[in-house]
DNA sequence: GCTTGGACTTGCCCTCAGTACC
DNA sequence: GGTACTGAGGGCAAGTCCAAGC
């Protein structure tokens, strides 16, 4: 590590939860006020035009903007929306508008579509003006001073009002997410800083000076009653240091994971049910990189589970399947309602335990009825300081990347082939962590385009050969062709897999940096600008023989 | 002990700006 | 100069984990 950066990353380590000594910022940027519809754009009820009050009109526009989305046809969405919309209506409106099916938002919808077209068709100068305004806003509100550093803020804009969507089958979809006003805002900054000023004629809910937290601004959202925060960018000292710490914890797990595994295997035989359950759950978390699985309040969110909250209905046991013994089939919705489907052969003891846990239970009963995340994490804490369920995900992701890179990279490959290998290693991790994505809408098209390019290049090479200009044109051309073909392979393999999440959250960046240095790959090929900023600590720290 | 609230990380999707291409 | 395409970044929901409050 260089001396200068050692200072940057190691300065001012506070104790007892103190996160900073000085914090100054300009507060949040509020959503722009509602702009009423022009009088020629009408809402129709039961076929007749109807002028809405400003409040009711605003909420109606939220719905009108979404008309093309499938979810506006869903019962739950419509019911929730209508209920909340009615709350914004005057008593006259309420009396008249009693059936959402009689509401016609299509003219409003057309208007917004036209507006968005108009925005696209703006002249260069107009676009430039908007860009400059955004830059000005960023400069004024996008930075803060935390201790001795000017730091970028991650999200300085307050979320605008709209209709809540949620992910998966969310019981609250369609509800009104209300507008946040200065009176809802808690500002956090240091006493000796220049406090942010609320917009003229308004007041903050509170100005606080809590240096044991990292947030600058908070408010409570009305859908779940959860607190939302404005915090610093991942490039900031405070986030970087935390990130580094996270990977150091995972590396400590590496040192004791063998004995820990031996321990939970022993526990599969325990006399106590709770210990067996704990041990099997931990095995899943370790082997399959499952999330912890906190309990959730029923009816408040989509029905999703993690390891500790698995239910009997989420797995099938096969003493034998496809020529393998003791196969467990998992099928459940995890975080963000992403499906986890996997068939895994497990050890006989695990299998027998699972049979035991499922005995005399209904499909909707908890698989691990003597376990929850609190119990599990308490246990883990006793095994290693700072150990929690999610450390296993970080550890297994990072160690997998390191192993895969070792296995897949060959010295004689060129740079683009090496990058393909890197992406494949990254992909192995994404698959382990079940990081999926919807195939991009333009996927087929973009594959086609690439194929066209490849064909053209082949043609070009063939021409060159025919004209006996081999020596002159072939070497570079061949290289280019290979690059395109590698790119096509990479893209195809990536169709339904998202690499970003693991890259950003699970893979110790020092592994990647070390790999780049070892093979002479510019780090820019692996990390874009933002990622390099986020991982500045690692880029500076890791040399080519860094070992996770 | 249990519940709830709070802080912070993780996660997917969409938009939009920058760039390649014609 | 216009259009098409793509990657980056923003947006914000949904997790994890811990500790305060009862």
């Amino acid at each position: 590590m260089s001396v200068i950066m050692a200072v940057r990353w190691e300065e001012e380590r506070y104790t007892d939860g103190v996160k900073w000594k000085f914090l100054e910022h300009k507060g949040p940027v509020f959503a722009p006020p509602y702009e009423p519809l022009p009088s020629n754009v009408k809402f129709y009820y039961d076929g007749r035009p109807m002028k809405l009050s400003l409040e009711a009109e605003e909420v109606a526009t939220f719905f009108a903007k979404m008309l093309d989305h499938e979810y506006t046809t869903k019962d739950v969405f419509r019911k929730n929306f209508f209920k909340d919309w009615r709350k914004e209506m005057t008593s006259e409106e309420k009396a008249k508008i009693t059936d959402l099916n009689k509401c016609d938002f299509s003219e409003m919808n057309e208007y917004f579509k036209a507006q968005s077209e108009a925005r696209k068709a703006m002249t260069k100068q107009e676009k430039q003006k908007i860009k400059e305004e955004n830059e000005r806003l960023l400069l004024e509100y996008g930075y803060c001073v935390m201790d001795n550093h000017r730091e970028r803020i991650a999200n300085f804009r307050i979320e605008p009002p709209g209709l809540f969507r949620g992910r998966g089958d969310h019981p609250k979809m369609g509800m009104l997410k209300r507008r946040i006003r200065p009176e809802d805002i808690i500002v956090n900054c240091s006493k000796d800083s220049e406090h942010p000023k609320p917009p003229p004629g308004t007041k903050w809910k509170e100005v606080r000076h809590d240096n044991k937290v990292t947030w600058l601004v908070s408010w409570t959202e009305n859908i779940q009653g959860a607190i939302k925060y404005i915090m610093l960018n991942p490039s900031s000292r405070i986030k970087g240091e935390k990130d580094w710490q996270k990977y150091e914890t995972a590396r400590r797990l590496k040192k004791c994971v063998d004995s820990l595994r031996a321990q939970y295997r022993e526990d599969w035989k325990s006399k106590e049910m709770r210990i067996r359950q704990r041990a099997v759950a931990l095995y899943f978390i370790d082997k399959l990189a499952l999330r912890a699985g906190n309990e959730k309040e029923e009816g408040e969110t989509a029905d999703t589970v993690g390891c500790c909250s698995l239910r009997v209905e989420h797995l099938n046991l096969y003493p034998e399947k496809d020529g393998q013994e003791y196969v467990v089939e998992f099928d459940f919705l995890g975080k963000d309602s992403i499906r986890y489907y996997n068939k895994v052969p497990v050890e006989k003891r695990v299998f027998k335990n699972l049979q035991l846990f499922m005995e005399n239970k209904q499909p909707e009963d908890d698989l691990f009825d003597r376990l929850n995340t609190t119990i599990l994490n308490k246990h883990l804490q006793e095994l290693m300081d700072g150990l929690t369920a999610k450390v296993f995900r970080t550890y297994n992701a990072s160690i997998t990347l390191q192993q895969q890179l070792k296995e897949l990279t060959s010295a004689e490959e060129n740079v683009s082939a090496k990058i393909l290998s890197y992406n494949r290693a990254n992909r192995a991790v994404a698959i382990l962590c079940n990081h999926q994505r919807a195939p991009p809408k333009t996927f087929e098209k973009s594959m086609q385009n690439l194929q066209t390019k490849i064909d053209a290049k082949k043609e070009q090479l063939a021409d060159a050969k025919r004209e006996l200009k081999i020596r002159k044109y072939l070497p570079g051309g061949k290289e280019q062709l290979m690059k395109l073909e590698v790119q096509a392979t990479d893209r195809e393999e990536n169709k339904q897999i998202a690499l970003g999440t693991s890259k950003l959250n699970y893979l110790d960046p020092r592994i990647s940096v070390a790999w780049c240095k070892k093979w002479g790959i510019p780090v820019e090929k692996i990390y874009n600008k933002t990622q390099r900023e986020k991982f500045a600590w690692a880029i500076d720290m890791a040399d080519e023989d860094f070992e996770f």
Side-chain angles (χ1 to χ4, degrees):
Chain A
M1 197 194 313
S2 74
V3 177
I4 292 166
M5 294 311 281
V7 173
R8 164 78 169 131
W9 302 114
E10 287 177 0
E11 70 187 290
E12 307 169 64
R13 297 303 253 322
Y14 299 123
T15 48
D16 359 299
V18 171
K19 305 283 167 62
W20 47 261
K21 292 273 166 68
F22 181 80
L23 175 60
E24 184 169 88
H25 58 93
K26 289 287 175 76
V29 172
F30 288 93
Y34 176 61
E35 272 184 48
L37 292 171
S39 55
N40 62 325
V41 180
K42 292 192 173 65
F43 163 75
Y44 297 85
Y45 188 73
D46 211 3
R48 277 192 282 275
M50 179 175 174
K51 176 79 191 153
L52 296 170
S53 66
L54 211 61
E55 289 76 12
E57 183 187 279
E58 179 177 11
V59 178
T61 65
F62 298 153
F63 193 85
K65 282 177 186 168
M66 297 175 149
L67 240 41
D68 296 329
H69 284 281
E70 196 223 336
Y71 48 76
T72 55
T73 65
K74 292 197 173 175
D75 271 358
V76 178
F77 190 95
R78 295 175 70 86
K79 205 179 121 266
N80 286 332
F81 161 71
F82 196 55
K83 188 174 166 210
D84 280 3
W85 185 29
R86 283 176 59 81
K87 290 181 202 156
E88 302 301 309
M89 293 178 188
T90 63
S91 45
E92 291 79 39
E93 287 166 339
K94 223 182 272 183
K96 195 163 169 192
I97 303 173
T98 54
D99 183 358
L100 182 56
N101 294 314
K102 292 183 179 166
C103 295
D104 179 357
F105 302 95
S106 55
E107 219 173 278
M108 293 158 78
N109 180 260
E110 296 297 322
Y111 170 69
F112 291 120
K113 273 190 199 152
Q115 281 220 315
S116 119
E117 285 309 310
R119 227 171 302 128
K120 274 182 216 153
M122 279 187 309
T123 64
K124 254 211 171 109
Q125 290 85 345
E126 288 171 313
K127 283 183 183 168
Q128 184 60 27
K129 213 176 151 199
I130 292 174
K131 196 181 161 193
E132 278 164 17
E133 172 60 15
N134 278 332
E135 281 165 1
R136 193 190 64 75
L137 225 55
L138 174 67
L139 226 52
E140 178 164 8
Y141 294 97
Y143 295 85
C144 74
V145 178
M146 186 175 273
D147 294 334
N148 300 315
H149 305 285
R150 179 170 176 266
E151 304 269 34
R152 185 74 191 272
I153 296 168
N155 55 323
F156 55 90
R157 287 170 199 273
I158 301 279
E159 295 171 19
L163 302 183
F164 178 80
R165 177 56 189 86
R167 317 250 162 91
D169 223 343
H170 200 114
K172 298 195 170 185
M173 65 170 87
M175 282 175 66
L176 173 65
K177 214 173 93 164
R178 53 168 250 285
R179 179 178 290 275
I180 304 301
R181 306 151 301 155
E183 291 75 12
D184 302 313
I185 295 292
I186 302 174
V187 162
N188 195 32
C189 60
S190 55
K191 276 184 195 153
D192 58 348
S193 72
E194 192 178 322
H195 298 11
K197 286 185 248 326
T202 68
K203 287 194 294 214
W204 301 125
K205 179 180 184 183
E206 185 189 335
V207 176
R208 204 178 276 185
H209 309 291
D210 182 356
N211 70 354
K212 304 236 168 128
V213 297
T214 66
W215 54 267
L216 319 183
V217 167
S218 77
W219 71 94
T220 304
E221 56 88 31
N222 66 301
I223 304 287
Q224 326 267 4
I227 306 171
K228 299 258 183 169
Y229 302 94
I230 290 182
M231 288 185 191
L232 296 193
N233 198 68
S235 62
S236 60
R237 185 218 98 218
I238 204 150
K239 294 286 186 190
E241 240 169 49
K242 197 81 188 295
D243 210 32
W244 177 18
Q245 214 179 79
K246 173 180 81 185
Y247 292 112
E248 288 305 301
T249 305
R251 291 176 84 199
R252 281 194 289 120
L253 173 57
K254 185 192 176 190
K255 289 187 193 144
C256 62
V257 75
D258 287 339
S259 83
L260 223 137
R261 284 172 175 158
Q263 154 96 268
Y264 68 62
R265 298 171 67 89
E266 269 309 299
D267 288 347
W268 293 342
K269 300 182 260 180
S270 170
K271 286 190 300 253
E272 285 186 75
M273 185 58 122
R274 60 173 192 100
I275 291 178
R276 285 190 185 214
Q277 291 194 357
R278 197 178 68 191
V280 170
L282 188 49
Y283 168 74
F284 286 162
I285 284 170
D286 184 20
K287 183 184 171 76
L288 304 174
L290 299 191
R291 295 188 187 81
N294 285 307
E295 285 114 301
K296 303 170 72 181
E297 215 177 320
E298 216 177 316
E300 293 294 299
T301 56
D303 178 20
T304 61
V305 296
C307 186
C308 294
S309 49
L310 279 170
R311 299 191 296 262
V312 171
E313 61 193 319
H314 295 132
L315 46 175
N316 280 310
L317 306 183
Y318 301 97
E320 208 222 287
K321 194 174 173 73
D322 310 325
Q324 290 178 304
E325 279 189 308
Y326 309 121
V327 174
V328 184
E329 181 185 47
F330 292 85
D331 193 353
F332 61 89
L333 297 183
K335 182 175 178 180
D336 295 320
S337 295
I338 297 290
R339 185 178 180 204
Y340 183 92
Y341 181 81
N342 202 359
K343 274 181 290 191
V344 243
V346 299
E347 328 229 352
K348 183 174 176 185
R349 254 208 184 94
V350 171
F351 196 84
K352 294 287 169 194
N353 270 316
L354 288 170
Q355 286 179 322
L356 181 68
F357 303 160
M358 291 163 80
E359 228 169 57
N360 301 319
K361 280 189 191 168
Q362 300 299 310
E364 63 277 12
D365 289 341
D366 284 338
L367 174 68
F368 302 117
D369 51 298
R370 305 289 174 85
L371 184 72
N372 60 38
T373 54
T374 311
I375 297 171
L376 179 67
N377 281 334
K378 268 219 179 86
H379 172 63
L380 293 176
Q381 189 57 236
E382 283 163 14
L383 300 178
M384 187 194 104
D385 182 42
L387 187 60
T388 62
K390 85 187 185 92
V391 179
F392 281 87
R393 251 167 104 79
T394 312
Y395 161 71
N396 279 309
S398 288
I399 203 77
T400 300
L401 178 75
Q402 188 168 83
Q403 280 162 356
Q404 288 287 307
L405 284 177
K406 242 178 223 157
E407 220 170 289
L408 298 174
T409 317
S410 53
E412 54 275 16
E413 285 176 332
N414 61 23
V415 172
S416 53
K418 283 204 179 77
I419 288 167
L420 175 65
S421 297
Y422 180 90
N423 288 340
R424 283 183 164 156
N426 193 166
R427 209 133 51 223
V429 175
I431 289 167
L432 174 72
C433 294
N434 200 39
H435 291 143
Q436 300 185 26
R437 62 166 181 175
K441 287 185 189 84
T442 54
F443 186 82
E444 294 306 330
K445 183 99 180 68
S446 86
M447 280 312 286
Q448 254 173 33
N449 289 347
L450 207 48
Q451 193 56 49
T452 312
K453 275 193 200 170
I454 289 171
D455 293 344
K457 187 59 71 182
K458 277 184 181 162
E459 190 60 31
Q460 202 184 328
L461 282 171
D463 282 353
K465 210 168 188 174
R466 264 197 299 277
E467 289 166 33
L468 297 172
K469 292 175 180 167
I470 301 167
R471 225 158 269 169
K472 205 166 172 191
Y473 290 124
L474 217 51
K478 225 175 181 175
E479 181 95 345
Q480 286 165 359
L481 176 62
M482 237 171 91
K483 206 171 159 182
L484 285 171
E485 282 174 331
V486 160
Q487 204 186 342
T489 310
D490 205 17
R491 196 173 294 182
E492 186 66 50
E493 289 178 1
N494 229 24
K495 184 174 180 181
Q496 305 200 60
I497 298 167
L499 299 186
T501 302
S502 51
K503 203 174 195 178
L504 248 39
N505 300 300
Y506 288 104
L507 301 176
D508 188 330
R510 291 169 296 184
I511 298 168
S512 302
V513 171
W515 180 84
C516 284
K517 288 190 177 159
K518 176 164 181 192
W519 299 107
I521 312 282
V523 80
E524 294 77 29
K525 299 267 183 188
I526 298 299
Y527 292 134
N528 67 31
K529 184 164 158 285
T530 321
Q531 294 164 340
R532 293 198 298 278
E533 281 164 12
K534 167 168 172 149
F535 296 134
W537 60 271
I539 292 170
D540 182 68
M541 216 180 262
D543 53 36
E544 69 164 84
D545 29 59
F546 170 82
E547 273 261 3
F548 176 76

